[in-house]
Amino acid sequence: MQNSNNSIFEKAIDPVHQAILTFGGVLSFIIISKLINAIGLLSVSAKFPWMTAAAFLLLFAVFNSVYSLTAKSVIKYWGRSIYSFMGLAVASGLAAYLFSSMTISEAGSYRWIYVVVTFGYLVFLSLMSFMRKIVEFAQKEEWNHPRIRRKKRKNR
């Protein structure tokens, strides 16, 4: 029997591919919701495309930042990630506008949700970068013979 690790987190996935896949999810959910509403199966809110766009943007933010741990070049990954995020935000916002006939301002609080998700994405990426640096530092330490630190004793 061959021992192979096929974890999805072991594979480096390009942020552009992640964004395209996420945008496909946005379009799929919006189109399915429109079909459900047209059939009369359920009543779908006119703001649903904006909610879908924001939800998939958050999904991209979480998974993209987790996948940044597997990147060989963090700087290159960050650049591609941020451009992919901006492209996804614009494309999903445009799709939401086209399907709902509402601007983001007319959709209520979704403008602020976009701002919060964007800020959260940058925080997620920063946290993952910080965690990666901690792990790299820990791997460089010699675990067989850690440095012995002297404790300072107070003389009374």
Side-chain angles (χ1 to χ4, degrees):
M1 181 187 278
Q2 185 179 5
N3 187 9
S4 65
N5 190 357
N6 291 332
S7 172
I8 194 167
F9 296 108
E10 293 292 324
K11 300 172 184 169
I13 300 175
D14 187 29
V16 175
H17 294 136
Q18 294 173 27
I20 291 170
L21 182 67
T22 305
F23 184 65
V26 169
L27 287 179
S28 299
F29 267 69
I30 292 174
I31 291 170
I32 290 170
S33 73
K34 288 295 181 182
L35 290 174
I36 288 174
N37 196 30
I39 292 171
L41 192 60
L42 290 172
S43 176
V44 179
S45 169
K47 296 179 184 179
F48 186 79
W50 284 106
M51 182 175 59
T52 303
F56 274 91
L57 204 57
L58 180 62
L59 188 71
F60 174 83
V62 170
F63 281 102
N64 182 260
S65 46
V66 169
Y67 282 127
S68 71
L69 292 174
T70 63
K72 292 177 183 169
S73 172
V74 176
I75 301 298
K76 184 178 176 184
Y77 189 88
W78 266 48
R80 292 181 67 80
S81 293
I82 290 174
Y83 286 130
S84 297
F85 182 83
M86 290 187 322
L88 178 63
V90 169
S92 60
L94 183 61
Y97 170 72
L98 292 175
F99 281 98
S100 70
S101 301
M102 289 182 176
T103 64
I104 195 166
S105 299
E106 294 170 342
S109 61
Y110 287 100
R111 172 185 284 178
W112 285 107
I113 291 173
Y114 256 62
V115 170
V116 168
V117 168
T118 302
F119 182 73
Y121 174 62
L122 295 174
V123 169
F124 288 159
L125 270 181
S126 299
L127 282 173
M128 291 300 148
S129 177
F130 185 64
M131 286 174 47
R132 183 179 175 138
K133 288 184 191 283
I134 290 173
V135 169
E136 286 173 356
F137 176 76
Q139 287 175 343
K140 289 180 184 177
E141 285 288 315
E142 293 182 39
W143 291 105
N144 294 334
H145 301 289
R147 287 184 239 159
I148 299 173
R149 295 186 175 97
R150 295 181 186 173
K151 295 182 181 177
K152 292 182 181 180
R153 296 184 186 192
K154 293 182 181 179
N155 294 334
R156 292 185 183 192

